[in-house]
Amino acid sequence: MTSSLGTVLVTGGAGFIGCELSRALAPSADRWVVLDNMHPQVHASPDTRPERLAAEAELVVGDVTDATAWDELLAQVRPDVVFHLAAETGTAQSLAESNRHASVNVVGTTQMADAFTRAGHDPAHIVLTSSRAVYGEGLWRRTDGETFYPPQRTRAQLEAQQWEVEGAEHVPNAAAVSFPAPVSVYGATKLAQEHVLSAWVGARSTALSVLRLQNVYGPGQSLSNPYTGIVPLFSRIAAEGRSIPLYEDGDITRDFVFIDDVVSALVAAAATPPTGLPRTLDVGTGVRTTIRDLAETVAAMHAAPAPEVTAQFRDGDVRHAACDVAATTAALGWTPQWSMADGVRALQAWIDEQNVPAGS
């Protein structure tokens, strides 16, 4: 079947987002090749091909940090489009495993660039999945209208339960307005990915799209990965009849974006590559949700006890994260379709189908 996408390479393409993307696009690509190291933190059965990976996908087990793996792959594959999804995730984990995150996220990206140079091949378009973590605490506005960027909240502030920035409110992040200032190693490595690829394509004929994703969730998420996200975590706790613990005061906010909306944004980005400079777009719902609201929604679905505020906190966590998707809608003709309540309901139905023993 002929497709405008041609041959597609997806790094990290056997993971959550990669599998769902393959189900949407692989059948219409000339060739769909996945490079993934099948890390056991993500894959409960690393030796087993993921069930949700499209049948048309060619799975190549290899590591993006391995130059030999790249050379062997590019000797056989000349991708027209590259979805660069491979990354170590986890804000808190990145503080304890900084080298691992930097190796995969930064060195893995430079290895990819060098491999294309050695192979003498420039893809037509690279689509990078970046993260809202690059913004850090983000842009804030005082009551008098003045905007500023607060520093990272210190351990002393968090221990004193000084959660908020007094006399100001968080402004939804937008790539054209908000200056990136990551406060986690993970966020710093994702921003480095953006910088590396932007510099590399500047000397090539390759277009670059950077999509900064908010908190992605939905069917297909790893249920064994402790860093997979709070939506499946909350679902599992409530399903066990336990009260969901709320960090800080429960009023942390996030933009929870359903996997189908993320996939449709990636599809739209691939279909309409930029014609000039690299573009950076935000992918979320544009709706701010407190973790309290999320927890209460999940608890109600299971008739679980009411969530409880614990005043616990995580180093490197930001207080608020939300985005403005107007620029993304204008550039891609894309709009999010899923509400938080509908998305959580769909995720929980899928979790129930997995028959995962409680507490596992």
Side-chain angles (χ1 to χ4, degrees), residues 243-265:
S243 173
I244 298 170
L246 300 178
Y247 277 28
E248 299 186 17
D249 59 356
D251 291 331
I252 298 169
T253 61
R254 295 290 185 265
D255 185 337
F256 297 103
V257 57
F258 193 64
I259 182 61
D260 289 14
D261 285 333
V262 172
V263 167
S264 65

Side-chain angles (χ1 to χ4, degrees), residues 138-151 164-171:
L139 181 66
W140 290 63
R141 181 181 293 112
R142 302 188 195 280
T143 54
D144 63 3
E146 177 190 6
T147 57
F148 67 103
Y149 293 89
E164 287 284 2
V165 177
E166 295 297 328
E169 64 177 1
H170 178 260
V171 178

Side-chain angles (χ1 to χ4, degrees), residues 147-159:
T147 57
F148 67 103
Y149 293 89
Q152 180 177 2
R153 297 180 296 169
T154 66
R155 170 64 71 89
Q157 285 178 301
L158 296 173
E159 289 178 341

Side-chain angles (χ1 to χ4, degrees), residues 286-342:
V287 177
R288 190 190 302 274
T289 299
T290 67
I291 61 169
R292 184 193 308 275
D293 288 342
L294 171 67
E296 289 176 348
T297 298
V298 173
M301 291 181 182
H302 296 276
E308 296 181 359
V309 172
T310 66
Q312 293 173 277
F313 60 85
R314 292 195 315 173
D315 293 314
D317 259 0
V318 300
R319 177 62 174 176
H320 298 297
C323 73
D324 183 340
V325 298
T328 311
T329 297
L332 303 181
W334 165 90
T335 55
Q337 302 295 316
W338 285 78
S339 68
M340 183 270 288
D342 288 343

